[in-house]
Amino acid sequence: MTRPLATLVLAIAASANAQPECLHRWKAWEPQRTGLFFSKDQPDQPVQTVHVAGEVATNLMLPSEVDPSQTKLVGGDGRFEPLMISGRSVVIVPLRDLAFDESFSVLVKLKDGTAMPFSLRAPRHHESTDGQVDVYLNQEDTLAVRRALQLARLRVEELVAENERHVQEELSVDHALAALLARDKSELTPFTMAGYKLLQGGDVELKVFTFRPRNRKANLGKAAVAFSVKNKDPKKPWELEEVRLMSATTGDMKAFASRASSPSIGPGETGMVAVVMNLDVFGSGVESDHLILELWRAGPVARQASVELV
């Protein structure tokens, strides 16, 4: 090979308290517009959930004018900006992200006497922050039907795109190699382990494995890295959020294939996350780049590990 196989240079466990710059995940924390239906004729209906994020404004757009004197946030003193109420709008702004096990209640009362309770919590895995929530009392209302149709169409488009991506991944050699490495089947791949580094990440034990070609004379044109994640938390599962590969100099995202033995690792269990990439993502010659490979778990402070590859 004309260049080394992605040798591990730097590996840093990113603990929750030590990485304040990682409070916000990409994509999932981008505010989205959504709609909720509330029926006045069903007093025992479930309380609707609104997803909120630190320093992000979530606007509840109600069907009629809000009564400011009867609208209140329960138990949120010191955690939220004062509610901003004007006309049909109630704006909610948390001062910081909510923990996964936290929730707060807001009771909105309209001037016609209708009371609407909402539960505020952080987005879970693959959920989005609510930027605007349109609340409807009548599902047959023209605006409600139109908005529901728009959301349904967007969802169909997302599912079609996601399905196409999965089809392409199933046909990808790199994804097949990553799947074998994630299942600790490197003997079925052209890779063999080159070494590993042990990391301590609070409630997890991490090992970062690098691989080299089994045949040292072979030019695979690919690099492989795998994370072994042992969940030391006695109660909560460890859930994979995403893997990122980016340029260390420009921050540009790079293409790669990734597979996990399981998206969720139970208490006391160990799982693997493997990454395979083409060596051309490093660039060539004098323009060759260092790359940053990050492992993110589901949670408000989500970066679990970051390694630098050359």
Side-chain angles (χ1 to χ4, degrees):
M1 297 181 67
T2 58
R3 60 185 302 150
L5 172 72
T7 304
L8 183 66
V9 172
L10 179 64
I12 306 172
S15 66
N17 293 330
Q19 296 292 331
E21 75 278 11
C22 298
L23 288 175
H24 296 288
R25 294 171 289 172
W26 299 353
K27 298 179 182 178
W29 294 88
E30 293 179 357
Q32 304 292 322
R33 186 174 183 177
T34 188
L36 295 177
F37 295 103
F38 182 87
S39 177
K40 294 192 293 185
D41 301 327
Q42 298 179 11
D44 57 345
Q45 64 187 294
V47 176
Q48 304 272 20
T49 296
V50 176
H51 301 127
V52 297
E55 300 183 341
V56 176
T58 296
N59 180 35
L60 301 181
M61 184 59 68
L62 286 305
S64 62
E65 195 168 353
V66 177
D67 183 351
S69 65
Q70 299 296 317
T71 297
K72 57 185 178 180
L73 179 65
V74 181
D77 294 343
R79 297 298 306 276
F80 293 81
E81 296 279 1
L83 293 180
M84 291 172 276
I85 304 171
S86 178
R88 298 166 48 215
S89 178
V90 177
V91 179
I92 302 166
V93 183
L95 295 175
R96 60 182 183 274
D97 291 325
L98 274 60
F100 262 32
D101 56 354
E102 281 188 310
S103 65
F104 295 90
S105 297
V106 60
L107 179 64
V108 178
K109 196 163 186 178
L110 306 181
K111 288 193 173 180
D112 66 4
T114 303
M116 301 180 181
F118 298 94
S119 176
L120 308 177
R121 64 172 176 81
R124 299 303 197 262
H125 190 42
H126 290 314
E127 292 177 337
S128 297
T129 297
D130 293 324
Q132 175 161 317
V133 181
D134 299 309
V135 183
Y136 303 101
L137 293 177
N138 182 7
Q139 297 191 36
E140 304 301 323
D141 180 78
T142 302
L143 290 176
V145 172
R146 185 182 299 127
R147 184 58 187 160
L149 180 59
Q150 291 174 344
L151 292 174
R153 285 175 174 170
L154 289 173
R155 182 56 179 159
V156 168
E157 291 174 359
E158 291 172 356
L159 291 174
V160 169
E162 185 176 358
N163 184 63
E164 179 63 24
R165 179 176 62 83
H166 285 308
V167 170
Q168 294 300 322
E169 289 179 357
E170 291 299 326
L171 301 175
S172 164
V173 172
D174 288 354
H175 280 89
L177 292 173
L180 290 170
L181 294 175
R183 288 164 175 77
D184 199 21
K185 299 291 184 180
S186 60
E187 68 275 9
L188 301 179
T189 75
F191 295 108
T192 187
M193 189 176 72
Y196 76 91
K197 185 176 181 64
L198 177 65
L199 308 175
Q200 295 295 334
D203 58 354
V204 299
E205 179 182 282
L206 282 167
K207 292 180 181 178
V208 185
F209 295 89
T210 54
F211 297 85
R212 61 172 176 80
R214 188 176 303 278
N215 181 353
R216 291 182 179 271
K217 296 182 179 180
N219 184 358
L220 300 179
K222 299 181 185 301
V225 179
F227 295 93
S228 171
V229 183
K230 181 178 181 180
N231 181 11
K232 298 192 296 183
D233 193 302
K235 297 180 179 179
K236 298 180 181 179
W238 185 97
E239 295 183 348
L240 175 64
E241 171 69 15
E242 64 177 323
V243 180
R244 302 175 186 171
L245 182 67
M246 67 195 80
S247 165
T249 55
T250 67
D252 294 340
M253 304 303 294
K254 301 291 184 176
F256 65 96
S258 177
R259 280 290 184 264
S261 57
S262 172
S264 180
I265 302 172
E269 298 179 354
T270 300
M272 294 281 287
V273 181
V275 175
V276 175
M277 67 202 79
N278 289 323
L279 284 178
D280 57 12
V281 298
F282 287 89
S284 59
V286 295
E287 296 182 356
S288 62
D289 198 0
H290 290 193
L291 300 183
I292 302 296
L293 178 64
E294 294 183 341
L295 181 70
W296 287 65
R297 68 187 294 180
V301 186
R303 190 173 71 174
Q304 186 69 78
S306 176
V307 297
E308 184 177 352
L309 306 176
V310 297

